[in-house]
Amino acid sequence: MRKHSAAGRVKAAPELPAKAPVVAAIPPAGQAPAGGDEFTFGPFVLRSDHRELMCDGVLRPMERRAFDLLHYLLKHHGRVVSKEELLEQVWQRRCVTDSVIAQAVLKVRKSLSDVPGFDCPVQTVHRVGYRVVGEVRHRRVAPGLNGRGPALLAVLWLAPRLAHGLDLPPWLPGALAGFSVLSLQAHGVQPIDTERATNLHDDTVQASGLLRLADTESDGGDGPPVFVLEVDLAAPDWRTRVTASAGSPFEAAWRAAGSTALALRLRQILLSTSPGEVERRWERLAALVGHPPPQMASCSQHLPALWCRSLVERSLDAEADILMEGAWRGDPRTPQESNELRRRASRVDASRLEGWSDLCLAVYEWTAGDPRRVAHLVDRALTHFDHATTTSLAVRAGAIAEHLMVAVGADWAAPVWWRHLRDAPIVDGSAGIRRWHRLANLHRQIARDAPSGLAFHRTSDAGSNVAPGCEGLQALLHALSGQMRHADGDLDTALNEWTRAHDLAERSPWLTPRLLSRLALGDLAARLDDRIRLDACLQGLDHLAIAGLPRWRAVNDWLQARRLRLNAQPQMAWGLVEKALPVLSHCSLWFRDEAWLFAIDTAWQTRSRTALSALRDTISGHTRQHNRSIAAIALAADATLALLDRDMPQATQFMLRAWQTAPSSSVKRQLAMAAATAMLWRRPPSAQALDQALSQAGAWLQRSSNGQRLSQLHRRPYGVLSASSPEPYRVAEPEADLGWLWAP
């Protein structure tokens, strides 16, 4: 193995760029640091002056040389750093071998691993060196901006006391303390050695517990014992208690330590003052999932009780971030907390936070309340952002407002300040802020307010490394991308995008992506006769702890109706469709227009004129000015009523008008199939009409059973249809139960 001598390295070292930055020196012990570099990449933050690597606020230990290596690669991210340069700058001309560099890189990659959805950015360039790829944000940090981070994730965990009369071995408290320490370390919290308790930091949290038996007399006292560990957490600025119970004292200790870790993590997020951490606070709040929720008196089924105001005295900005996160999770306390934030913001003349409180309430109404109130709340909220600048709060507010207004189908004109922010590229900001910006631009294209192009279609693929806390937002991006692909007739890509959205939503606590990604995926699976995927979506709904929400019931009823239709049970399916329509019809973005065609087809299968007439009246109530798609659907309902009356000429005329009225969309593809069905009974208006209808149907002719049957009834495969075909067109006698051969 080749060794590098000092002399050899001096001669072989490449010439460095003229403006290559110099690695910051480590300040002597006892001397205050003079500031340093802060690099943010994915969920990680590296601080050179503190020599710390943080992952979502959790300190990750690194060896000195591995830290220096990562620091140097980050300072030169975007270019390849040769091994000779690393030996010169990081190892400072010491005589080391190639394997030493490889071992240091391996340690760096190990420190950056174990983060779901994040790939290590350190890449090897064969026989040359290494480089860091992906988004890296760098800024200089002034002295004193330490964010109070690491100290807040340490706890002095004392051995629990045993309740009076509890007959347990004397060695048990020490064993439980050791077991709790393992749980704390597994959750990213550093336990403090009791021997070093004399040098505690001012923010150090002390945990003292009491182990007792649960009162089982009310249950007859015949069951197995239940151990309860109550842990009091105390620091100079706060005090709270967590409780965990289990059939084993060790399991109770593990759960209590996990709940303590969650409490400390939330406290750290709320008290951090570093600008980079404040900007990413909403992402870190959204990442607070996966830990055992603490049992602290009464609490919401959606959020742990640690979100309550008594946890820590926090700023209005932190209050606003927590309120928005609670709204996305459907926390029923959101309306009350929103009004409280509005009152507090009004007292200190914080106009934007007043608007933010209205926006939080709009998100809650869209998620778990009444979607009909959303447009009014959004309009009222945006009036407080008239003088917004390029702050992350303004970008989030504008993107959320646009998402809500498009989601409920409201007609609105974006404010001038938001149009400027939305149309300008984001040159700075976290990956989460960039995702909000991309979400707004996807909405623009769906609304036909922006030029189409492949760049917008591929937007959801950008940033595949999804940091914890961004899964819900990334799921929305994939869902919108899938909707665009579906409108273009690219069924395979749409299915992949919606599957990806579903998988990401499962890792997020946000309710809307979890529900509506299942709706989109299950709906398309049913139309493609994919029973396995449809059943998986339905089974996943059963495991969501939100069964009381009206939208959950509506989504469940709709997918159950889809399954009943596949099982040839239209009567039962129509009953569920009637129940789901009043709720889902207000979800304009997710209740796509072709869903009305499924309702029409289901009502037709029941052969009930009353059902069809009532549905026609409902569709008329949703008709808006200049909405050609809804107008075409209303004509399709008229055609189906005529078909029910066996008036074939009238049914054909209405359906051809519906097909010609519909804009280019997924609705037009279905109406093209129905128009081709009508041409089975009456000669088409022109030789090109049949070719055009079957051509516009696209992939649905091959991917759906009705499409395949339609091609067979026309007695020609789709691929060889031609207006110039010499074969004469023959009109078929309509079958009594044929209906429209489409796949709505």
Side-chain angles (χ1 to χ4, degrees):
M1 184 176 295
R2 180 169 62 96
K3 289 192 175 183
H4 299 272
S5 65
R9 285 197 310 274
V10 172
K11 293 180 180 180
E15 184 178 353
L16 297 178
K19 296 184 179 181
V22 180
V23 177
I26 304 174
Q31 179 178 336
D37 298 305
E38 180 182 275
F39 297 92
T40 303
F41 54 105
F44 291 94
V45 177
L46 182 141
R47 284 285 298 268
S48 64
D49 51 348
H50 295 159
R51 298 188 64 80
E52 294 171 350
L53 177 67
M54 309 287 291
C55 178
D56 285 318
V58 180
L59 182 64
R60 292 213 167 187
M62 289 188 72
E63 293 186 4
R64 181 174 65 90
R65 198 66 69 184
F67 182 90
D68 293 339
L69 173 62
L70 177 60
H71 180 206
Y72 193 81
L73 291 175
L74 289 172
K75 294 193 76 167
H76 298 274
H77 77 276
R79 75 174 180 90
V80 179
V81 180
S82 66
K83 296 180 181 179
E84 287 76 10
E85 183 179 341
L86 291 174
L87 289 168
E88 181 77 23
Q89 299 296 323
V90 178
W91 274 265
Q92 300 173 355
R93 302 186 179 184
R94 289 184 174 85
C95 185
V96 296
T97 63
D98 287 338
S99 63
V100 173
I101 303 178
Q103 287 295 325
V105 172
L106 185 63
K107 293 175 182 177
V108 168
R109 288 171 173 163
K110 184 177 180 180
S111 298
L112 302 180
S113 62
D114 301 330
V115 179
F118 180 81
D119 297 329
C120 179
V122 179
Q123 290 187 351
T124 301
V125 180
H126 187 54
R127 294 187 177 181
V128 179
Y130 303 92
R131 65 181 174 187
V132 170
V133 297
E135 180 188 15
V136 177
R137 293 190 297 119
H138 168 245
R139 69 185 184 97
R140 292 288 298 174
V141 183
L145 290 180
N146 56 16
R148 303 176 65 190
L152 296 176
L153 278 181
V155 61
L156 177 62
W157 191 274
L158 304 176
R161 296 173 288 111
L162 300 181
H164 180 70
L166 193 60
D167 186 15
L168 291 174
W171 52 262
L172 184 62
L176 292 178
F179 204 66
S180 301
V181 164
L182 293 177
S183 177
L184 290 171
Q185 292 174 335
H187 289 87
V189 175
Q190 180 63 39
I192 300 176
D193 191 350
T194 54
E195 296 180 358
R196 299 168 52 193
T198 56
N199 298 322
L200 295 180
H201 193 276
D202 291 341
D203 287 327
T204 300
V205 178
Q206 298 189 40
S208 58
L210 174 67
L211 182 67
R212 61 177 177 84
L213 283 176
D215 184 11
T216 58
E217 292 183 0
S218 59
D219 299 331
D222 297 331
V226 176
F227 294 90
V228 179
L229 182 58
E230 298 174 346
V231 180
D232 291 315
L233 305 176
D237 58 347
W238 74 299
R239 182 181 298 271
T240 190
R241 171 180 291 184
V242 297
T243 304
S245 59
S248 163
F250 289 95
E251 185 177 355
W254 184 276
R255 292 180 178 179
S259 297
T260 299
L262 179 60
L264 296 179
R265 193 179 303 277
L266 177 58
R267 179 171 176 263
Q268 181 205 43
I269 292 173
L270 298 179
L271 295 181
S272 295
T273 57
S274 168
E277 294 177 355
V278 169
E279 182 179 332
R280 293 189 61 245
R281 180 168 51 209
W282 68 272
E283 299 177 43
R284 298 175 63 191
L285 288 172
L288 284 178
V289 293
H291 296 279
Q295 303 171 9
M296 299 173 55
S298 59
C299 63
S300 163
Q301 61 174 333
H302 306 296
L303 291 177
L306 285 173
W307 293 73
C308 64
R309 190 182 306 279
S310 61
L311 173 66
V312 65
E313 188 63 29
R314 56 204 185 212
S315 65
L316 280 180
D317 290 335
E319 187 83 15
D321 283 334
I322 282 187
L323 183 60
M324 181 60 75
E325 179 62 25
W328 281 110
R329 297 189 184 196
D331 183 10
R333 294 171 298 182
T334 299
Q336 177 184 352
E337 293 292 332
S338 175
N339 293 331
E340 177 64 24
L341 176 63
R342 186 179 182 86
R343 285 193 295 267
R344 295 175 63 193
S346 178
R347 287 198 296 265
V348 297
D349 198 23
S351 177
R352 290 187 192 176
L353 292 182
E354 291 184 63
W356 188 260
S357 66
D358 287 333
L359 200 59
C360 292
L361 189 55
V363 170
Y364 172 77
E365 295 292 355
W366 162 242
T367 301
D370 186 359
R372 292 170 294 185
R373 297 189 57 204
V374 168
H376 168 69
L377 290 169
V378 170
D379 285 335
R380 192 172 73 178
L382 293 183
T383 59
H384 295 275
F385 289 87
D386 288 342
H387 304 289
T389 58
T390 56
T391 62
S392 60
L393 183 68
V395 174
R396 288 171 59 201
I400 291 172
E402 181 142 359
H403 171 71
L404 293 176
M405 297 298 266
V406 175
V408 299
D411 295 325
W412 80 305
V416 175
W417 67 265
W418 170 236
R419 289 203 301 269
H420 290 163
L421 274 181
R422 182 188 61 188
D423 298 343
I426 295 291
V427 296
D428 196 7
S430 66
I433 296 301
R434 294 174 185 271
R435 285 187 173 93
W436 281 116
H437 189 259
R438 289 198 292 268
L439 182 75
N441 281 283
L442 276 176
H443 280 306
R444 288 182 62 201
Q445 184 172 350
I446 290 177
R448 299 294 188 262
D449 190 26
S452 60
L454 189 60
F456 278 100
H457 281 307
R458 295 187 179 274
T459 300
S460 66
D461 298 332
S464 58
N465 288 334
V466 184
C470 285
E471 295 94 344
L473 178 54
Q474 187 71 15
L476 291 176
L477 285 170
H478 280 284
L480 292 182
S481 179
Q483 184 168 334
M484 293 164 58
R485 294 290 191 168
H486 177 263
D488 292 341
D490 189 350
L491 302 183
D492 290 328
T493 305
L495 190 63
N496 291 335
E497 288 286 338
W498 280 333
T499 301
R500 176 64 173 155
H502 172 268
D503 295 341
L504 284 169
E506 286 299 289
R507 292 157 43 190
S508 170
W510 291 7
L511 295 190
T512 299
R514 297 175 73 184
L515 270 179
L516 299 182
S517 63
R518 280 192 174 89
L519 175 62
L521 181 60
D523 203 61
L524 181 59
R527 297 168 67 188
L528 296 176
D529 298 326
D530 188 346
R531 297 170 184 262
I532 296 177
R533 201 184 298 265
L534 174 61
D535 289 342
C537 291
L538 280 167
Q539 291 173 3
L541 279 174
D542 295 336
H543 294 92
L544 292 180
I546 51 177
L549 293 180
R551 189 172 299 163
W552 178 92
R553 292 193 296 268
V555 170
N556 185 68
D557 288 342
W558 187 266
L559 295 183
Q560 291 285 3
R562 283 287 192 182
R563 183 161 62 177
L564 289 171
R565 280 296 309 275
L566 292 178
N567 295 335
Q569 296 176 283
Q571 295 288 349
M572 297 178 62
W574 173 247
L576 294 177
V577 168
E578 279 189 307
K579 291 168 57 179
L581 275 177
V583 177
L584 294 183
S585 60
H586 293 287
C587 305
S588 176
L589 176 64
W590 301 91
F591 189 78
R592 298 177 304 278
D593 288 341
E594 64 265 31
W596 290 107
L597 300 181
F598 172 71
I600 292 173
D601 191 67
T602 304
W604 149 259
Q605 293 292 338
T606 65
R607 301 299 192 272
S608 170
R609 166 169 274 279
T610 302
L612 267 173
S613 299
L615 181 59
R616 176 63 175 85
D617 294 339
T618 302
I619 295 172
S620 299
H622 284 77
T623 303
R624 296 186 299 272
Q625 188 178 8
H626 307 307
N627 192 326
R628 293 167 53 199
S629 182
I630 294 294
I633 291 171
L635 287 171
D638 292 334
T640 308
L641 282 168
L643 184 63
L644 187 63
D645 296 336
R646 307 294 295 169
D647 188 349
M648 296 306 176
Q650 188 78 352
T652 301
Q653 180 182 356
F654 276 132
M655 188 54 72
L656 290 177
R657 284 179 54 196
W659 168 46
Q660 294 164 359
T661 301
S664 179
S665 63
S666 54
V667 171
K668 193 174 187 70
R669 301 179 193 282
Q670 300 304 318
L671 294 178
M673 295 176 68
T677 308
M679 294 179 201
L680 289 170
W681 312 324
R682 293 179 63 85
R683 186 176 298 277
S686 65
Q688 293 83 7
L690 177 61
D691 291 1
Q692 184 181 5
L694 293 176
S695 175
Q696 288 181 356
W700 287 108
L701 285 180
Q702 293 83 35
R703 299 296 299 275
S704 65
S705 57
N706 275 347
Q708 296 171 7
R709 186 181 180 191
L710 182 62
S711 296
Q712 293 173 359
L713 288 175
H714 276 291
R715 299 181 299 279
R716 311 177 205 175
Y718 163 65
V720 299
L721 280 173
S722 172
S724 59
S725 175
E727 181 180 347
Y729 186 86
R730 290 179 295 174
V731 178
E733 184 67 24
E735 301 177 23
D737 60 344
L738 180 61
W740 308 115
L741 292 177
W742 52 11

